[in-house]
Amino acid sequence: MNQSERLSFHADCPSRLLLDEVADKWSILVLAALQHGPMRFNQLLHAIDGISKKSLSVVLRRLERNGIVSRDVLKLRPIAVAYCITPLGWTLVEPFAALYDWTQRHLDEVDRARQQFDQQGGHSLSPNANL
């Protein structure tokens, strides 16, 4: 398999769907929160500022479907569940940590680039630029 075959940008490429399902901001934040151990829904809701109940529910269901997190029923009254990272999910922790570290290291540069872009009226290309 050559490089162009591995880097498929086709709309129906299964890797595109998987990237969309596991690499969004909420999924990354859920995995970051679960690194410290199993958590119940409300614990996750309070740990991840800004996420709605609906978004958390959708993300947990999607991550469970993809084998990234597991949902364990706790023997409590009333019945409760806890979420934890699966062995497959743990394989995402390092790359997501690297992405987070990159954002921390380069946030100032990105802010400067955004400001420059905005000051130019949202036009980063000169009128004579060749694409």
Side-chain angles (χ1 to χ4, degrees):
M1 178 182 295
N2 66 35
Q3 180 71 10
S4 64
E5 289 171 334
R6 282 184 291 174
L7 295 176
S8 177
F9 297 111
H10 296 285
D12 60 350
C13 179
S15 63
R16 255 175 88 165
L17 176 60
L18 184 57
L19 271 174
D20 187 43
E21 291 190 350
V22 301
D24 65 90
K25 74 175 177 183
W26 294 131
S27 296
I28 292 169
L29 292 173
V30 165
L31 283 179
L34 291 174
Q35 286 181 64
H36 306 291
M39 295 177 81
R40 293 168 64 172
F41 185 89
N42 282 332
Q43 290 174 305
L44 284 165
L45 191 63
H46 289 95
I48 303 170
D49 190 36
I51 193 167
S52 69
K53 287 181 179 182
K54 181 178 180 178
S55 292
L56 180 56
S57 181
V58 167
V59 124
L60 286 169
R61 190 172 190 82
R62 189 175 61 226
L63 290 174
E64 183 181 6
R65 181 174 183 261
N66 285 297
I68 308 301
V69 301
S70 64
R71 181 180 179 269
D72 302 316
V73 177
L74 304 175
K75 296 176 181 170
L76 299 173
R77 295 281 182 224
I79 293 176
V81 297
Y83 297 89
C84 62
I85 302 175
T86 64
L88 179 60
W90 279 107
T91 65
L92 285 171
V93 170
E94 186 177 339
F96 285 173
L99 181 60
Y100 177 78
D101 290 344
W102 181 90
T103 64
Q104 294 301 301
R105 281 193 315 274
H106 298 285
L107 187 58
D108 291 339
E109 288 176 72
V110 171
D111 280 342
R112 283 192 297 276
R114 288 174 177 165
Q115 289 173 8
Q116 182 180 2
F117 184 87
D118 293 345
Q119 287 171 356
Q120 295 172 352
H123 303 292
S124 60
L125 298 177
S126 68
N128 298 327
N130 292 326
L131 294 177

